[in-house]
Amino acid sequence: NAHARKLRLGRSGMLGLSLRPSVDFVSTPDDAETFNRLAGSMATHCLHHGLGLVHVPDIVGRGHDMVPMDGCIVAHPRRNDPALESAGIPFVLIDPDPGRAATPWTVSLDYVSGVQQILELVSGSGTRPVILINEDEPNAWNLDSARTYSHWCESSGFESRICEIDGAIRGAALEERLAAILESEESELGIVFMASDTTETLIEVLRRRGWSIPGDASIAALTDTAHSP
């Protein structure tokens, strides 16, 4: 019995993985290649060290009570994420909690340099304005990207235009939202958006407007995955 073994030995040999974005690979396996890659690489690393890895679907609820794990990897926490209080076991973070940046045992990712490079490319080295279509999840990825974009606009002399969307919407609802964002925009525009699975819908919206890519609009996703055509 795994629980009894943990009580006797003080450890179970199991690690947990909790994905904190509201849209993760459990609910949308075809939309979140980032999470699939993350889970796969972690599972392989754990096997090399004789450990098990289990996904904890609800660390804030009863998930952590059901899994006899020695510690948990909490990936991409939201601002003031309740998972950090409810875990009750040692944890490490992938990305800081934006509301508690001083939390130790955090692996931070460098979003700033990547976003800056994309903005330079999409803007034609600062010759055309850029809008950012951001997701409304308050995690480091979204917040750091928006902050970097705002600083770039200020230094480049462009107006900062950040349009937030619900990261969970798909299909007709996403198409309608993108069309509304672009309705008043002029051509010769750069568009940077967060999720790569938005690419096909965005291209369709631009096509219906009669815009060419990259002539009328240059576009780039902040995730490079197979979901981009």
Side-chain angles (χ1 to χ4, degrees), residues 122-199:
V122 170
S123 70
S125 298
T127 60
R128 60 169 62 182
V130 179
I131 66 171
L132 175 67
I133 301 177
N134 202 13
E135 293 185 0
D136 57 2
E137 190 88 37
N139 57 31
W141 181 47
N142 289 300
L143 296 176
D144 284 358
S145 297
R147 190 178 302 112
T148 303
Y149 165 77
S150 295
H151 290 164
W152 178 86
C153 287
E154 183 178 354
S155 63
S156 302
F158 292 118
E159 177 188 358
S160 175
R161 288 178 287 171
I162 300 176
C163 306
E164 286 196 343
I165 63 172
D166 182 348
I169 63 172
R170 297 292 185 272
L174 176 59
E175 187 172 326
E176 183 179 338
R177 178 74 179 109
L178 292 175
I181 290 173
L182 297 174
E183 184 177 8
S184 60
E185 297 293 341
E186 302 292 336
S187 59
E188 297 293 317
L189 177 71
I191 305 171
V192 174
F193 49 100
M194 305 299 287
S196 60
D197 56 305
T198 305
T199 307

Side-chain angles (χ1 to χ4, degrees), residues 77-137:
R78 307 163 197 151
R79 182 189 288 116
N80 297 316
D81 201 311
L84 274 61
E85 287 93 14
S86 65
I89 56 172
F91 63 84
V92 295
L93 300 180
I94 297 177
D95 271 351
D97 178 327
R100 289 173 282 202
T103 302
W105 308 112
T106 298
V107 177
S108 297
L109 305 179
D110 179 15
Y111 297 119
V112 174
S113 60
V115 173
Q116 288 174 337
Q117 291 179 48
I118 285 178
L119 289 169
E120 282 299 309
L121 290 170
V122 170
S123 70
S125 298
T127 60
R128 60 169 62 182
V130 179
I131 66 171
L132 175 67
I133 301 177
N134 202 13
E135 293 185 0
D136 57 2
E137 190 88 37

Side-chain angles (χ1 to χ4, degrees), residues 16-17 19 37-47 53 73 75 94:
L17 170 60
L19 299 171
R37 290 181 179 182
L38 177 65
S41 61
M42 285 183 176
T44 300
H45 190 76
C46 284
L47 285 173
L53 180 71
I73 301 158
I94 297 177

